[in-house]
Amino acid sequence: MDKERKIQLKRKFGYFRCTSFLLINIIGAGIFVSPKGVLEYSCMNVGLSLCIWAVCAIFSLTGSLCFAEVGITFPCAGADYYFLKRCFGPLIAFLKLWTSFFVGPGVIASQALLLAEYSIQPFYPSCSAPTLPKKCLALAMLWSVGILNSRTIRDVNRIQMASTVLKMAILSLISLSGVFILVRGKKENTERFQNAFDAEFPDVSQIIEATFQGYFAFSGWANFVCIAEELKNPTKTIPKCVCTTIPLVTVFYLLVNISYLTVLTPREILSSDAVAVTWTDKVIPQLIWIIPFAISASLYSNLLISILNRTRMTYIAGQQGQLPLLFNTLNIHSSPLISVIVNVALSSLMIVITNLVELINYLYFVVSIWVVLTMIGILKLRYQEPNLHRPYKVFFPFIFITMAISLGMVLIPLIKSPKMHYIYIFLFLLSGLLFYIPFVYFKLKLVWFDKMTCYLQLLFNVCIPDAFYK
């Protein structure tokens, strides 16, 4: 093979592409569809709800900067998985991989169904869209992003940049229109801000719940660690990207919420399942059909990037010997094709079996467990390997802030509404041992699987990369 054409993940993400990648990960359906959770748990206290959004932005920034240390110190694909393996050994890393194998496709399936729903709903204005066409459309969109992810990263980047522009355009339209209406100074638009803190003040538990609602709207702030191996100069790119993206998203989120509150009353926001559409109907009714389709088009990139994120973890797990060697292969476009196919297939199964998608809501808090362990890992390495080369070190208190928030997301659901589902989830987490002990710890080999690996390599035209992170 030509030496200049190496089969390996390419460093194609510079500052602008990484910023676009992080913007797409953070800005999902929440700000368009249902930004009412913060307002609801704030007891419709407008001033407090806006303050909570600002606090959530600070928490997200501290968490991103913590993960920046992980991505810069270990610039490999799926750096968070590799970091846990380095800090706590192969068992903890495998359990993270085990949960990601099901949580990841479940999240992807949910995104595909949501995208399909908002694409097809305008054709059913007076009723809910039928389930069968919705699922068929979700499957078609899912496999289309699978095909794109199996191609060169340049194709993904083009769609990513176009989607970023579209998202920013929608948010700018809502924000600037709201500011213009507010500046006009009509009483019905300004009265909610004149005495913003006069409404009932919530208790501490409600404020915590409202904070969690807003914090979830910023979820995706750490996903740059999944593509650390594909970043140009990660030492400089990651901090610059984080310090650009989080403040930019914060400004847009605050302006969009102000715009919603300028046009709609708090009760109208709480009664709406699609606040952006309700806002459009009042302000620019001529765009009532365009906005849902624009939102759908912008959410397509979230699905595209989710597949990209998940495949990087299974790819590096193949390198580390915790998955079959077949997962550590790339096609001629330097894409982990086998990982893409497996993730898309599992996500398709979860689209068909709706019950599994619903259970994903209970698995979300497992993600917070891994964040807590990552923060403990940073502290552990700081103590055990003080001389480890760290081009960037996060401000020490930020580690404890991120750990406290993530611990709250684990413990508060268990204390506030204990359910058997959480016991089932912990049992599911431990069930990974049934695979880890024979296949990873004792390295049990299946002869028939080795033969199938050779056949699949020839069928899909994939091979082991020329170089990878060690």
Side-chain angles (χ1 to χ4, degrees), residues 101-113:
F101 243 117
F102 295 92
V103 176
V107 173
I108 292 169
S110 300
Q111 289 177 332
L113 287 168

Side-chain angles (χ1 to χ4, degrees), residues 50-249:
L50 294 176
C51 290
I52 287 173
W53 278 105
V55 170
C56 292
I58 294 171
F59 289 159
S60 300
L61 181 61
T62 60
S64 295
L65 292 174
C66 290
F67 273 80
E69 180 174 331
V70 175
I72 292 172
T73 307
F74 304 102
C76 59
D80 51 340
Y81 160 83
Y82 179 86
F83 180 77
L84 288 175
K85 187 172 183 288
R86 171 75 178 264
C87 292
F88 302 106
L91 174 59
I92 297 297
F94 183 83
L95 292 179
K96 176 177 172 58
L97 177 68
W98 174 252
T99 54
S100 296
F101 243 117
F102 295 92
V103 176
V107 173
I108 292 169
S110 300
Q111 289 177 332
L113 287 168
L114 180 65
L115 175 58
E117 183 174 348
Y118 275 84
S119 299
I120 205 172
Q121 189 59 50
F123 296 100
Y124 299 88
S126 59
C127 61
S128 298
T131 301
L132 182 59
K134 190 190 304 182
K135 288 190 175 184
C136 290
L137 182 59
L139 287 169
M141 290 178 171
L142 177 61
W143 281 94
S144 70
V145 299
I147 292 171
L148 285 169
N149 268 290
S150 68
R151 305 286 298 173
T152 174
I153 196 69
R154 188 181 297 110
D155 296 335
V156 176
N157 283 335
R158 287 171 181 166
I159 295 176
Q160 171 189 330
M161 296 301 291
S163 177
T164 302
V165 172
L166 182 58
K167 278 186 177 181
M168 293 298 101
I170 297 171
L171 291 176
S172 299
L173 172 66
I174 296 173
S175 301
L176 295 177
S177 299
V179 170
F180 175 74
I181 294 170
L182 189 61
V183 169
R184 287 169 59 190
K186 288 188 177 181
K187 184 179 179 181
E188 63 269 20
N189 300 131
T190 60
E191 60 184 357
R192 287 182 283 279
F193 300 99
Q194 290 172 350
N195 302 297
F197 292 92
D198 285 355
E200 178 187 353
F201 207 82
D203 57 35
V204 175
S205 65
Q206 288 175 309
I207 292 176
I208 293 173
E209 198 72 49
T211 303
F212 287 161
Q213 292 285 329
Y215 193 61
F216 275 120
F218 284 90
S219 61
W221 44 259
N223 281 341
F224 56 83
V225 295
C226 298
I227 59 165
E229 190 171 336
E230 297 165 81
L231 295 177
K232 299 175 182 177
N233 193 0
T235 303
K236 294 182 178 180
T237 300
I238 290 176
K240 286 169 61 178
C241 174
V242 169
C243 292
T244 300
T245 304
I246 303 296
L248 182 61
V249 171

Side-chain angles (χ1 to χ4, degrees), residues 35 59 73 91 93 109 120 133 139 144 163 174 240 242 271 316 335 364 385 397 401 414-415 417 433 457 466 469:
F59 289 159
T73 307
L91 174 59
I120 205 172
L139 287 169
S144 70
S163 177
I174 296 173
K240 286 169 61 178
V242 169
S271 63
I316 194 173
S335 170
Y364 262 114
E385 301 184 45
I401 292 173
L414 295 176
I415 296 170
S417 56
L433 295 172
Q457 277 191 265
D466 294 315
Y469 191 85

